[in-house]
Amino acid sequence: MTESLLTITDLSIDSLRDGTRRRIVEGFNLSVRAGEIYGLVGESGSGKSISMMASVGLAAQGLDVRSGTVNFGTRRFAASDQKSLRGNLSHGVSLLFQNAKGALNPFITVGKQVERVLRRRRRSDIQGELKELFRVVGLNYADLGRKYPHQVSGGQAQRVAMACALATEPALLIADEPTTALDVTTEREMLRFLASICRQRNMAVVLIAHNLSLVSEYCSSLSILHAGQVVETGNLAPIFAEPLHPYTQGLIAAVPDVDSPRELVPLIGSVWGGSSELDRCRFSHRCPHAMPRCERRIPPAVKRDGREVHCVLYEQEVSA
Ligand code: SF4
């Protein structure tokens, strides 16, 4: 098996707002191999983007990275040293966000924006590489290179953003809900394209998403987050075949299946509707199996079928 390209271990992040310290990510772990598309799934506010941004040195103001280590290739960093992470990972990691038109400069043609990224890498044949990069992302430079962001479609803007991301030849791409602003057809097209680029370049992708069915089509492994805690992680197939954590079960039960239609079961409550205290399962206010011991401590990780689940229902298996 290929060795891990990015390993995040025991990442914990506090929010410091209105004079109050609150733990918003607790013990986050993740391991991505070269060439793999790894899904990071959870509802809005579950800590997906915050965790990934902090792991590359881009924790937002008002956040305090309390603990954790980041291994990238053979290098190891303390997650709390955001400056060092930023400085060292900026050449190996690219980011792709959901609102490509918003991310592009409206006053500069799309060709110029990709060219600027190429120039930072001090290329020799900039124009040749620029045209090739447009071709790689499925765009014609002659048609689109001199257009401004408002003159291209949402799908084309996302491909331009992708060209900017690929111009640095990253080993890892963090794609944060990259298709949320696109229509369904363009979304599928974009993800198929991302998967093929990933294969061609042996580039790893962390695909941050709230859409579980989308992730199931493109990812080989995934982690599911709820309220800043990873609840289940591992290979995609066994998780979909037999979800163990009640939150994973709830997410899968809420996904429509066109091949065998069934009644959808919505998840009740919201991510932060319960207590934000540390030493408990943060899903207990939404869980149909909750019991008093769920609120006494963080559920331990249980290994089963090549994955990890954090729930007291499987606790006996820890000592077994
Ligand atoms: S630890 Fe308890 S509350 Fe949390 S998911 Fe498991 S059974 Fe539900």
Side-chain angles (χ1 to χ4, degrees):
M1 181 172 285
T2 320
E3 282 191 8
S4 174
L5 171 70
L6 173 76
T7 305
I8 304 168
T9 309
D10 201 23
L11 178 70
S12 294
I13 305 170
D14 287 359
S15 153
L16 307 168
R17 293 235 165 91
D18 306 323
T20 309
R21 177 178 286 275
R22 199 176 109 192
R23 180 64 48 93
I24 53 169
V25 174
E26 175 71 38
F28 177 83
N29 297 318
L30 181 133
S31 178
V32 190
R33 287 169 281 134
E36 175 183 33
I37 304 185
Y38 195 105
L40 192 53
V41 179
E43 293 163 273
S44 296
S46 58
K48 311 179 293 289
S49 304
I50 284 173
S51 301
M52 289 314 299
M53 292 304 115
S55 73
V56 294
L58 295 172
Q61 225 178 351
L63 297 180
D64 180 19
V65 181
R66 299 283 295 174
S67 67
T69 54
V70 177
N71 284 63
F72 190 73
T74 54
R75 291 173 293 169
R76 183 182 176 87
F77 307 92
S80 56
D81 189 353
Q82 289 283 292
K83 194 174 170 195
S84 173
L85 271 172
R86 236 178 358 258
N88 284 283
L89 269 54
S90 61
H91 298 304
V93 180
S94 280
L95 306 171
L96 186 64
F97 296 105
Q98 61 177 261
N99 181 6
K101 280 204 177 187
L104 295 172
N105 187 327
F107 298 104
I108 302 176
T109 62
V110 294
K112 241 338 171 217
Q113 299 198 44
V114 182
E115 186 184 325
R116 285 185 172 188
V117 184
L118 282 171
R119 283 197 189 281
R120 267 188 239 138
R121 304 279 291 176
R122 294 199 199 99
R123 313 283 182 154
S124 48
D125 179 16
I126 298 280
Q127 287 307 311
E129 286 210 38
L130 185 56
K131 285 172 190 156
E132 171 60 12
L133 207 43
F134 266 69
R135 189 197 64 72
V136 166
V137 299
L139 298 176
N140 186 326
Y141 180 78
D143 292 344
L144 289 171
R146 290 185 179 78
K147 290 193 173 174
Y148 289 88
H150 73 276
Q151 295 173 314
V152 303
S153 70
Q156 288 168 334
Q158 192 59 285
R159 283 171 189 259
V160 172
M162 174 85 83
C164 289
L166 295 178
T168 61
E169 296 182 2
L172 170 72
L173 176 70
I174 299 174
D176 191 352
E177 311 256 9
T179 58
T180 304
L182 305 177
D183 61 69
V184 177
T185 313
T186 317
E187 176 179 64
R188 290 287 192 264
E189 195 182 291
M190 194 69 212
L191 286 171
R192 271 198 300 275
F193 167 72
L194 185 62
S196 81
I197 292 272
C198 179
R199 274 193 303 274
Q200 283 165 28
R201 299 191 166 205
N202 200 30
M203 179 181 75
V205 176
V206 175
L207 179 61
I208 300 174
H210 59 264
N211 184 337
L212 199 52
S213 66
L214 204 65
V215 165
S216 71
E217 288 179 44
Y218 298 95
C219 299
S220 49
S221 309
L222 82 157
S223 287
I224 296 166
L225 257 83
H226 181 273
Q229 292 174 333
V230 172
V231 298
E232 192 160 353
T233 186
N235 294 331
L236 183 114
I239 291 179
F240 265 75
E242 189 202 357
L244 296 177
H245 196 280
Y247 181 54
T248 319
Q249 291 166 356
L251 285 179
I252 290 177
V255 174
D257 184 346
V258 285
D259 295 327
S260 48
R262 55 183 160 73
E263 193 180 339
L264 298 181
V265 186
L267 264 166
I268 54 160
S270 61
V271 172
W272 288 102
S275 167
S276 61
E277 287 165 25
L278 293 180
D279 299 330
R280 54 176 288 158
C281 171
R282 289 184 183 172
F283 186 62
S284 60
H285 65 293
R286 309 173 78 182
C287 180
H289 310 288
M291 53 192 113
R293 68 184 161 125
C294 302
E295 304 194 353
R296 285 188 210 123
R297 64 195 170 92
I298 297 171
V302 178
K303 288 189 193 304
R304 187 160 132 178
D305 301 335
R307 63 182 129 156
E308 270 188 14
V309 58
H310 299 250
C311 173
V312 302
L313 295 175
Y314 307 94
E315 215 168 9
Q316 291 85 341
E317 299 176 31
V318 172
S319 48

